[in-house]
Amino acid sequence: DCRRAADLLSAAGGAGNVLADKAYDTDAVLAGVAAIGAQAVIPSKKNRLLQRVIDRNLYRDRNKVERFFSRLKQFRRLATRYDKTASSFLGMVHFVSALWWLR
């Protein structure tokens, strides 16, 4: 995943914070986050000599996003991507999101 992180970071030009788990605690990813002018909210691995201090409240929001995507994947149509066009897939994501929000 870290190999593709540079491509994702270049597309996230105006991000203020980049939230990720410990697997993304590499020098290359941290340099990419600094290059776009964002703050890295990535916990340090235990073997890193300099442990970074992160905002724990902001890091907890990453878990909320992961749980949301997990809920989306419970719908078979989204998990297997039956929709042929991106607009109909996005419409289904909006629909399922509204269903979860109303619960």
Side-chain angles (χ1 to χ4, degrees):
D1 289 343
C2 288
R3 296 179 193 155
R4 304 301 298 174
D7 298 333
L8 291 173
L9 287 173
S10 64
N17 298 306
V18 174
L19 287 81
D21 59 359
K22 288 183 180 184
Y24 290 93
D25 181 33
T26 64
D27 293 331
V29 171
L30 294 173
V33 171
I36 63 170
Q39 177 188 1
V41 184
I42 303 171
S44 300
K45 291 181 182 177
K46 291 188 185 226
N47 63 353
R48 189 172 277 277
L49 294 177
L50 258 160
Q51 296 287 317
R52 286 185 319 284
V53 178
I54 64 166
D55 184 3
R56 291 286 176 193
N57 291 327
L58 193 57
Y59 184 70
R60 286 187 185 117
D61 289 341
R62 181 191 67 85
N63 182 268
K64 293 176 188 174
V65 172
E66 285 189 9
R67 285 186 295 171
F68 172 73
F69 280 109
S70 177
R71 287 181 183 160
L72 285 180
K73 290 179 184 179
Q74 290 177 6
F75 287 82
R76 183 175 175 197
R77 183 173 174 174
L78 289 177
T80 56
R81 191 156 171 122
Y82 283 145
D83 300 314
K84 293 185 180 186
T85 62
S87 62
S88 62
F89 181 76
L90 182 61
M92 190 62 186
V93 169
H94 285 261
F95 176 70
V96 171
S97 301
L99 285 177
W100 277 108
W101 183 66
L102 290 173
R103 283 188 181 182

